[in-house]
Amino acid sequence: MSNQELVVLGQADEAGACCPGLLSAPVDEGQAEELAKVFKALGDPVRLRLLSMIASRAGGEVCVCDLTPAFDLSQPTISHHLKLLRQAGLIDCQRRGTWVYYWLLPEMTDRLAGILTRPAGEPLPAPAEAAGAAS
């Protein structure tokens, strides 16, 4: 067992430490719950495809009328998936007449990328020796 002190993400006193990654410190309980909602939203293939279709759209936004035909799902089901992506903070939307237009919120995808990225040039910590670890 190590005497190394654990610094929990979201509880550091460092000014300017915006978004430390998972490899630099463990996440605190609140941040883990928040991130789990985002990862759960991305854990469904339909939602992942919807996010990709929205994010890659030229012009930065897409009408729901252009998303629905790409799936063998009903319009209410697509709307439900889009609602979950919105609740996770990945996309936003605006109603214009009959149609709803969606766009990516890059702040969240940038945050996820920052959390999952290993600092450049830093090696991963060496795994503990397997000897004696298995019972």
Side-chain angles (χ1 to χ4, degrees):
M1 191 123 177
S2 170
N3 289 334
Q4 179 180 3
E5 183 179 333
L6 289 178
V7 176
V8 178
L9 290 179
Q11 294 181 351
D13 293 333
E14 307 163 17
C18 165
C19 313
L22 290 173
L23 298 177
S24 54
V27 296
D28 65 27
E29 185 177 344
Q31 195 172 25
E33 287 178 17
E34 180 185 345
L35 288 171
K37 290 176 187 174
V38 178
F39 286 121
K40 185 174 181 178
L42 291 173
D44 182 90
V46 171
R47 291 191 289 270
L48 192 56
R49 284 187 58 209
L50 283 167
L51 183 69
S52 175
M53 292 170 72
I54 294 167
S56 64
R57 183 64 168 222
E61 63 182 26
V62 61
C63 178
V64 70
C65 63
D66 294 325
L67 295 170
T68 305
F71 299 90
D72 189 24
L73 297 169
S74 68
Q75 184 277 324
T77 300
I78 296 296
S79 292
H80 173 73
H81 285 296
L82 291 166
K83 175 183 163 187
L84 294 175
L85 289 171
R86 274 194 350 265
Q87 289 174 340
L90 291 160
I91 62 172
D92 204 356
C93 66
Q94 180 182 49
R95 179 172 292 281
R96 297 181 197 153
T98 311
W99 300 111
V100 179
Y101 289 80
Y102 292 88
W103 58 87
L104 178 72
L105 294 175
E107 301 84 20
M108 181 56 80
T109 54
D110 291 350
R111 182 175 174 213
L112 291 176
I115 287 171
L116 294 173
T117 301
R118 179 171 49 93
E122 287 189 25
L124 290 173
E129 299 229 5
S135 299

